[in-house]
Amino acid sequence: MTAIDPGAPVLVTGGSGYIASWIVRYLLEDGYGVRATVRDPDKPRGLEHLHALDREHPGKLTLHRADLLEPGSFTAAMDGCQLVIHTASPFLLGTVKDPERQLVRPALEGTRNVLSAVDQTPSVTRVVLTSSVVAIYGDNADMTGKACFTEADWNTTSTVDHQPYSYSKTVAERAAWATQEAQQRWDLVTIHPSLVLGPSLTTASVSGSMTTMEHFVDNSMALGAPALKMGIVDVRDVARAHIVAGFTPAAHGRYVANSEIVSMLGIGEVLRARFGSRLSFPTRELPKLLIKLVAPAAGLTRSFVDRNVGWPLCLDSARTRTELGVEFRPARESVVEQFQQMIDDGL
Ligand code: NAP
């Protein structure tokens, strides 16, 4: 049981990111003081929404420079915090040329650096880590022989060459648990969102959440969609889950954050129903063999297609709903609101 003093500031790493920005906003609206780390607090673009939050909540938000790859860079901002919410980690899909450098090192070394700072900061008693469902399973094919994935499962199939982002999240979370288990002062709670969608407070994020939705406007699915199933959860519900996990004394272990399982075609249908057929939303699923043939041109590996397209998927988020009391918005709400915002932002 860990009770956090509501008067102590909360540290949020990667505070300008898609998910973290909502965490920062909700913390401020709830009346907490927030220290947000960013790589460059002086950059002219990408922090406008945090500056606006600062103006709305005078004296409650401070920005601190910290880099995942720079040992010791989180220590100063952490001093006096009891709760650390560690979200910073690259979520890149598709365009990754050097997965070790772009994904694994920042995720793993970054988590080690943040937790080493926690070890050196006596005030910290709880860390909430943004993990992912991809630390629970690697491919939909991992469902073989299972009714549903739960918090008890670990991704054992991803490597630096196959599903490198999933691998980066898995090794980072494993390192986090190993560090936590080596001491007794602070506890660890991990949140495992599926694909996060919904409105963004920033247009600067390069999160895979943005690139996934962009596929619905770049004509890449004009002829049809792969029969690919995925979990979807709203960014606001994910942010709320982090905060509840931080401030619920009995919270412990891993919590899956997922609203619904949907298919790419299902997302296309939701978008067509709301935005009409002037954009080329997919109207059918393509045969797996065809997807496999064109996969490399679309930036996908054939092993990804083999192990994901056409497979069922089930994610059990009952523990999060019952223990944390978090309710998840229907996926269609997140899809429609994010798409509308992309249109409004001219993206
Ligand atoms: P995002 O908008 O790209 O945020 C990632 C954050 O990581 C950015 O704030 C970025 O900071 C920071 N970062 C990246 N490299 C860094 C480095 N070397 N040093 C310091 N900070 C660095 O992506 P997001 O979707 O919000 O993802 C946030 C977290 O949620 C990640 O841990 C991700 O794995 C996890 N997650 C995301 C999803 C999803 O569907 N979006 C699902 C499950 C889990 P800068 O602003 O300084 O670049």
Side-chain angles (χ1 to χ4, degrees), residues 14-20 38-40 43 66-69 74 86-91 106 130-133 165 169 192-197 205-209:
S16 60
Y18 172 49
I19 297 173
V38 292
R39 265 183 285 189
D40 180 6
K43 67 179 179 183
D67 193 308
L68 291 171
L69 297 173
F74 290 86
H86 175 38
T87 75
S89 200
F91 175 28
T130 317
S131 187
S132 170
V133 291
Y165 167 68
K169 295 302 287 180
H192 298 256
S194 52
L195 180 67
V196 181
L197 296 180
S205 168
V206 292
S207 164
S209 294

Side-chain angles (χ1 to χ4, degrees), residues 70-281:
E70 212 180 296
S73 65
F74 290 86
T75 317
M78 210 175 275
D79 186 38
C81 296
Q82 296 188 2
L83 174 60
V84 170
I85 302 182
H86 175 38
T87 75
S89 200
F91 175 28
L92 306 172
L93 295 175
T95 52
V96 179
K97 289 199 169 66
D98 183 348
E100 180 68 40
R101 185 181 61 78
Q102 290 173 270
L103 291 169
V104 181
R105 272 194 62 210
L108 180 58
E109 278 181 37
T111 297
R112 287 194 175 128
N113 285 335
V114 169
L115 295 184
S116 157
V118 168
D119 272 339
Q120 291 161 37
T121 309
S123 57
V124 179
T125 51
R126 171 161 293 177
V127 175
V128 176
L129 170 79
T130 317
S131 187
S132 170
V133 291
V134 302
I136 285 178
Y137 74 99
D139 298 301
N140 293 10
D142 296 348
M143 277 284 289
T144 308
K146 272 185 184 304
C148 208
F149 292 117
T150 71
E151 287 87 356
D153 294 306
W154 275 93
N155 175 354
T156 56
T157 56
S158 296
T159 65
V160 74
D161 300 315
H162 174 71
Q163 301 276 49
Y165 167 68
S166 310
Y167 178 70
S168 77
K169 295 302 287 180
T170 308
V171 292
E173 191 197 334
R174 281 202 185 276
W177 283 112
T179 311
Q180 191 280 326
E181 281 156 15
Q183 56 76 57
Q184 305 210 315
R185 175 184 22 96
W186 53 273
D187 65 12
L188 176 66
V189 181
T190 57
I191 304 294
H192 298 256
S194 52
L195 180 67
V196 181
L197 296 180
S200 178
L201 298 175
T202 168
T203 51
S205 168
V206 292
S207 164
S209 294
M210 311 300 148
T211 43
T212 302
M213 284 302 273
E214 282 159 19
H215 285 310
F216 287 91
V217 283
D218 67 3
N219 273 335
S220 59
M221 284 189 281
L223 294 177
L228 184 61
K229 291 209 178 339
M230 67 192 91
I232 287 190
V233 63
D234 193 276
V235 66
R236 294 158 290 189
D237 300 332
V238 171
R240 190 47 77 192
H242 281 76
I243 296 170
V244 177
F247 287 98
T248 301
H252 65 284
R254 309 170 93 202
Y255 290 96
V256 169
N258 177 59
S259 169
E260 290 174 55
I261 303 295
V262 299
S263 63
M264 294 296 264
L265 181 61
I267 297 178
E269 281 165 353
V270 166
L271 290 173
R272 191 165 349 90
R274 173 63 182 76
F275 298 99
S277 49
R278 68 202 155 96
L279 291 165
S280 45
F281 303 123

Side-chain angles (χ1 to χ4, degrees), residues 16 43-50 202 204:
S16 60
K43 67 179 179 183
R45 264 207 77 236
L47 300 178
E48 298 86 341
H49 61 298
L50 295 182
T202 168

